[in-house]
Each structure stands twice: as structure tokens, then as C-alpha cells.
């Protein structure tokens, strides 16, 4: 019997030109969904946004790039023309129409929770979510912030379709390990994209303040290279840093990011908006690190302030105070790190795969 065919719609599994993989949590998530489905016997391909029409191989999966409409909007009709009949929709915000009205659609967190969000677009949000619920078999949310928003805003339109499956960490890959070389320095790590919503500007300012206050602190940025212009601008900023000798910057992808966590003492995740159950947070927890993050989106599903990390408001002063506390208290760092690791066990990749496998089989047969 031939394998059942399913297309996965996503924004960018590969960068829009199709020449290299995109680095980010969403891309990792969709990759692992595809791998799981292949292991379950499905014939899976990706359909995504592109600068032009292209076809590539990625980890044994065919990926189709479809040119975007004006305003970098996904051309769903064109995507439908190259996809299989059965579709798994990678993000509800990408969709306006649904070819497969009996499929799964995913939401990765509230993305309109910023004070500067264009208010004219807010009336579009509720119809978009309702449209997704009306045209799917199951909608998966990765955090409870979105789940509770739906309950309070949409109410009975959910009709039992919404399911909470938080993100995950591979504890075989992300685990507590000794530093390769012990020093007297305390290293603060920012392992996120060069993106305003991920708090890159906050992290840059905090690096100057922390390195200026503490001579025994180092600061490391483990960031993406998705957008060369942003990377070049970031390098220029780093080269002009007043404490450049204690600042480290580098590009990391899926397989080598554990090396960055290993050398860190504190992980800073100063996200401002649009956050699910963050992979960076889960990976830091798996590695047993002391975490400072913000009470945004799905971060509140992962960090209990004072138990397995510091959860503060997305403000520079609050983050600075929390970082200073952990820099000055090694015992507290170790306590938070141990509790973070124990918490991470509840978010194992094996558990995530089991939850997803149940719904994939139920929906796609």
C-alpha cells in the first residue's frame, strides 16, 4: 500500500531564496513534525514562501518555494496548486483559505501582544482564528496563553477542536554538562535570533551595563544568520562595543547550539512579544542553566519565578536587577539550574512525539 501523502505549509523551512535552511524555533518544530510523520509512514513534503518558484531537497523532503504576493503575504492559492490533497497547516496566521478542511492547523503563540502593534490589524485577528477553527479538524496550540485567550474571546467557537501540546526539548542533546574549561568568569548567554521581538536591543544594552559593572563577567550572543544585512549591522555594533574583549558573538544552528549552552552560567531570554513555549528556554532548562526571562506568552508555562529561574517584566531595569542577582549568587544559579533541569523532563521530546502521533493518526489516517 502506498504511503499517505501530506503537505506541510510553512513560512520558511528554507530561506526564501531556497539556498539554505532557516534557523529558528518554528523551523525546527516543522522539521521534527515532518520527521515524525515520515517515521509513521507518511509521504511528506513542504510548501513555503519563496522569492521565486523553486524546488529543493531538504533532509530527504521535497520543498516547494512559491512566490509571495505583494506585502510578503503567502500566496495560498498557488501553494494549494502544488500541494497534496491532505495538508498540515504550520501557522494559523498564514492562512486565509483552507484546501483541507479536515486537517490540523497550528498556532505558535499570541503574536499581537505588543503595544506598538498596528491597531488597524487587530480586527483581523479574531476572524482569522475563527476561520482556522471552522476549517480544521484540530487546532494545536503550543502555549496556554493562546488557549486562554480563545476561551475568553471566542468561547463556544472552539467546539472541542483546540488542543494544547507544548513545545519540547531533546534531553539527549540538551543536558547538563561541565564546561570545557573552568574559569572565574560568569558567562551570560543570549541564544536567540537578531530580532526586536526577541529582545535583541535589550540584550545589547544589558551587555554594556553588565560588562561595565562586573570585570568577571563575559557576554555571549549565539544568534542566527538568516538575514546577512542584520548580521553585518550586528557585527558593526559588536566591534564598537566598549568591552569587546569580553564580548563573544557567533552563528549557531540546530546541531551546534548545545556547545553555546555548555559554556554559559546564565541564559538571558528578554523576549518582548510573540512567544510560545520557547525552544531557547526549554533547551536552557535541559542544560540545567539559570534563566532570566520575561512574563510574555508561553514563558509563563515554563518558568516559575523563584523556583527554576527569574520571570520578570520585559523591561531593561527588571532584567538588569535579575541578572545582577544571579551574577552575584552562585548558589542561586545552581539551584535554579537544577530545578530547571527537573522541569524540563516534563517537556521531553518523547512525550511531545507521543502526543503528536496520536493526533496525526486520528486526523490523517
Amino acid at each position: 500500500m502506498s504511503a499517505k501523502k501530506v503537505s506541510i505549509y510553512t513560512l520558511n523551512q528554507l530561506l526564501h531564496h531556497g539556498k539554505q535552511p532557516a534557523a529558528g524555533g518554528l523551523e525546527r518544530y516543522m522539521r521534527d513534525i515532518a520527521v515524525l510523520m515520515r517515521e509513521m509512514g507518511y509521504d511528506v513534503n513542504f510548501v513555503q514562501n519563496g522569492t521565486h518558484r523553486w524546488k529543493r531537497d531538504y533532509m530527504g523532503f521535497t520543498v516547494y518555494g512559491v512566490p509571495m504576493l505583494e506585502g510578503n503575504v503567502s500566496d495560498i492559492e498557488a501553494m494549494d496548486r502544488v500541494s497534496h490533497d491532505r495538508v498540515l497547516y504550520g501557522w494559523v496566521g498564514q492562512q486565509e483559505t483552507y484546501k483541507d478542511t479536515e486537517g490540523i492547523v497550528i498556532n505558535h503563540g499570541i503574536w499581537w501582544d505588543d503595544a506598538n502593534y498596528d491597531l488597524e490589524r487587530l480586527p483581523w485577528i479574531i476572524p482569522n482564528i475563527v476561520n482556522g477553527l471552522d476549517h480544521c479538524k484540530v487546532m494545536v496550540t503550543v502555549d496556554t496563553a493562546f488557549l486562554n485567550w480563545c476561551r475568553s474571546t471566542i468561547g463556544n467557537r472552539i467546539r472541542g477542536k483546540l488542543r494544547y501540546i507544548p513545545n519540547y526539548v531533546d534531553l539527549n542533546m540538551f543536558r547538563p554538562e561541565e564546561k570545557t574549561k573552568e574559569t572565574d568568569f560568569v558567562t551570560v548567554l543570549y541564544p536567540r535570533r537578531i530580532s526586536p521581538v526577541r529582545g535583541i536591543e535589550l540584550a545589547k544594552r544589558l551587555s554594556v551595563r553588565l560588562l561595565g559593572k562586573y570585570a568577571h563577567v563575559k557576554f555571549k550572543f549565539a544568534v542566527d544568520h538568516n538575514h546577512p544585512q542584520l548580521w553585518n549591522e550586528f557585527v558593526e555594533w559588536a566591534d564598537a562595543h566598549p568591552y569587546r574583549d569580553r564580548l563573544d558573538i557567533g552563528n549557531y544552528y540546530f546541531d551546534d547550539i548545545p556547545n553555546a549552552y555548555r559554556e554559559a552560567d546564565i541564559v538571558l531570554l528578554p523576549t518582548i512579544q510573540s512567544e510560545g513555549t520557547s525552544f531557547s528556554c526549554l533547551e536552557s532548562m535541559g542544560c540545567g542553566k539559570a534563566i532570566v526571562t520575561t512574563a510574555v506568552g508561553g514563558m509563563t508555562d515554563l518558568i516559575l519565578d523563584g523556583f527554576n529561574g527569574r520571570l520578570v517584566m520585559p523591561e531593561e531595569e527588571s532584567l538588569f536587577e535579575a541578572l545582577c542577582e544571579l551574577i552575584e549568587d552562585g548558589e542561586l544559579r545552581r539551584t535554579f539550574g537544577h530545578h530547571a533541569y527537573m522541569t524540563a523532563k516534563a517537556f521531553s521530546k518523547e512525550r511531545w512525539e507521543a502526543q503528536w502521533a496520536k493526533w496525526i493518526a486520528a486526523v490523517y489516517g
Side-chain angles (χ1 to χ4, degrees), residues 276-293:
T277 38
S278 160
F279 280 106
S280 296
C281 189
L282 285 162
E283 292 162 1
S284 304
M285 293 163 66
C287 292
K289 300 302 175 180
I291 298 164
V292 174
T293 189

Side-chain angles (χ1 to χ4, degrees), residues 14 17-18 52-58 61-66:
L14 303 180
H17 52 58
H52 59 285
R53 191 171 300 280
W54 48 259
K55 178 181 177 182
R56 301 283 189 273
D57 177 80
Y58 167 70
F61 299 102
T62 299
V63 184
Y64 294 95
V66 177

Side-chain angles (χ1 to χ4, degrees), residues 41-180:
Y42 294 89
D43 180 356
V44 179
N45 63 26
F46 288 98
V47 185
Q48 68 156 77
N49 294 337
T51 54
H52 59 285
R53 191 171 300 280
W54 48 259
K55 178 181 177 182
R56 301 283 189 273
D57 177 80
Y58 167 70
M59 295 181 58
F61 299 102
T62 299
V63 184
Y64 294 95
V66 177
M68 293 173 284
L69 300 173
E70 185 177 353
N72 292 331
V73 175
S74 298
D75 187 344
I76 300 301
E77 290 185 4
M79 294 173 77
D80 288 345
R81 287 195 290 270
V82 300
S83 72
H84 297 312
D85 290 335
R86 301 307 313 274
V87 179
L88 188 151
Y89 296 97
W91 179 47
V92 65
Q94 184 181 11
Q95 297 300 132
E96 292 186 359
T97 60
Y98 289 83
K99 174 181 182 177
D100 183 356
T101 59
E102 294 293 318
I104 296 175
V105 60
I106 308 170
N107 189 60
H108 300 272
I110 290 174
W111 68 91
W112 59 93
D113 55 342
D114 176 52
N116 297 318
Y117 193 82
D118 184 356
L119 293 179
E120 293 182 359
R121 295 195 66 202
L122 285 178
W124 169 82
I125 298 296
I126 294 177
N128 172 261
I129 303 301
V130 170
N131 185 45
L133 286 165
D134 286 346
H135 293 89
C136 73
K137 189 79 169 181
V138 174
M139 181 180 288
V140 170
T141 175
V142 304
D143 67 1
T144 59
F146 179 75
L147 177 65
N148 290 326
W149 179 87
C150 286
R151 284 173 172 159
S152 62
T153 307
I154 300 173
N156 63 5
R157 296 302 291 267
I158 296 173
R159 294 194 299 274
K161 291 187 175 183
L162 205 53
R163 292 291 179 266
Y164 169 51
I165 304 179
N167 288 343
Y168 56 93
V169 57
D170 184 345
L171 293 171
N172 294 313
M173 185 175 184
F174 297 95
R175 59 187 185 273
E177 291 186 315
E178 296 294 328
K179 291 184 177 183
T180 55

